Amino acid sequence: MSNYSNIDSKLIHGGIDGDENTGAVNVPIFQTSTYKQQGLGKNKGYEYSRTGNPTRQALESLIADLEGGVAGFAFASGMAATTAVLSLFKTGDKIIISSNVYGGTFRVLDKVFNNFGITYEIVETSDLAILEKSIDADVKAIFIESPANPILSITDIKEVALIGKKHNILTIVDNTFMTPYLQRPIELGVDIVVHSGTKYLGGHSDLIAGLAVVNSEELAERLAFIQNSTGGILQPFDSFLLIRGIKTLGVRMDRHIENALFIAEELKKHPGVKAIYYPGLPESQGYEINKSQTSGPGGMLSFELDEKYNIHKFFESLEFISLAESLGGVESLICHPSSMTHASIPYEIRQKVGIVENLIRISVGIENKKDILNDLEQAFLKSYEG
Ligand SMILES: *Cc1c(COP(=O)(O)O)cnc(C)c1O
């Protein structure tokens, strides 16, 4: 048994810690597809790497440990993880999704699972009364994000989990933005957590990966079957990279929060900013709920650029802050949700949920916070058209 209980230590020593055979402090990269068997029906726990690989298993036990779940699963991308989880459902089932759910999650439901008769309904899940009213006999799951991308709307996860239990349906949280360092939905009562490991967990914008964690043996068995059957697994080297990234998640996230809070406070006062969305600002929607279910507001913020500024010039004027999709890396990234990350969501829905044309999202990196602010300031100056 380990003698630590804090998440900071778990990030480094959780799951399978090092290699017992050699004393290596890191889990080796088992770059193998198959395993020599001692005889018919006799093996050392591994037969074929789609089914199981020691490096991937180290990562899977680590994420299960961090989220406080029964079992973890590693996939080739966040979308592969979400697709595997959605494969738990069947024709006729309906999934409720948050109105600001990740664009790719919307797209896979709308354009892929729809073909198999699994339907979805977009619901403003931050309003629990609306959520509960939308549950009918076909609804088999509620899939939420909190904070939800890109205007960082907050949903009360504990209450959603209670509603799920009351109606005997599964609750699923995409925990990509918060990570288990800040928020552990399974401890709040939900059944399944999914992650894009590409973002904060990997942390260096050098990897595409996905994870899922379940809260019961029954779900673990079903998801293991789906993972092995559909085969969207994470490779050994990428599993190693993700384990390596997770070790520094705590220190990185602390710095992301410090920087994001600073930038949010500064942007709030800026004449070029019409509205700002950051869960760390006391006036933000769901501030108290977010405070109660997380240990920090994270490193993502969005703002609406005032019409007096040219949005194209703004993006083109930035120097080291890169215009790019994705988030959660050490470097600051900026994006235009309506044409980039959320372009797959129809225009009318985008307008309804606040993804307007002048909305800008920043993944605040861990560079010096004054340098980040200076880069933004000079872009405001250059893009001003009065
Ligand atoms: C990026 C992202 C995903 C998809 O993950 P990939 O690794 O790109 O497949 C899912 N959910 C959220 C919230 C994301 O930001």
Side-chain angles (χ1 to χ4, degrees), residues 85-86 88-89 95-96 125 128 131 135 139-145 155-174 185-194 213-216 219:
V85 166
L86 292 174
L88 291 165
F89 301 97
I95 321 282
I96 287 176
T125 53
L128 296 166
L131 171 63
I135 298 175
V139 172
K140 294 291 155 27
I142 306 170
F143 189 120
I144 63 167
E145 274 173 55
T155 292
D156 190 326
I157 296 176
K158 219 184 219 162
E159 290 298 324
V160 170
L162 285 174
I163 290 173
K165 287 207 167 67
K166 187 174 145 195
H167 295 271
N168 204 18
I169 58 183
L170 291 176
T171 46
I172 306 163
V173 173
D174 181 337
I186 287 177
E187 290 178 2
L188 298 170
V190 316
D191 300 296
I192 304 174
V193 168
V194 295
V213 182
V214 297
N215 75 343
S216 74
L219 283 171

Side-chain angles (χ1 to χ4, degrees), residues 1-18:
M1 265 318 281
S2 51
N3 59 358
Y4 57 82
S5 58
N6 292 303
I7 187 89
D8 321 66
S9 308
K10 266 194 199 173
L11 291 169
I12 295 156
H13 299 293
I16 295 162
D17 190 17

Side-chain angles (χ1 to χ4, degrees), residues 76-80 82 101-105 145 147 149 174-177 194-199 207-210 326-327 361:
S77 68
M79 282 320 302
T82 294
V101 83
Y102 176 70
T105 303
E145 274 173 55
N149 192 10
D174 181 337
N175 201 28
T176 300
F177 273 38
V194 295
H195 279 285
S196 170
T198 313
K199 315 296 168 54
L207 167 75
I208 301 280
S326 201
L327 59 113
R361 186 187 82 180

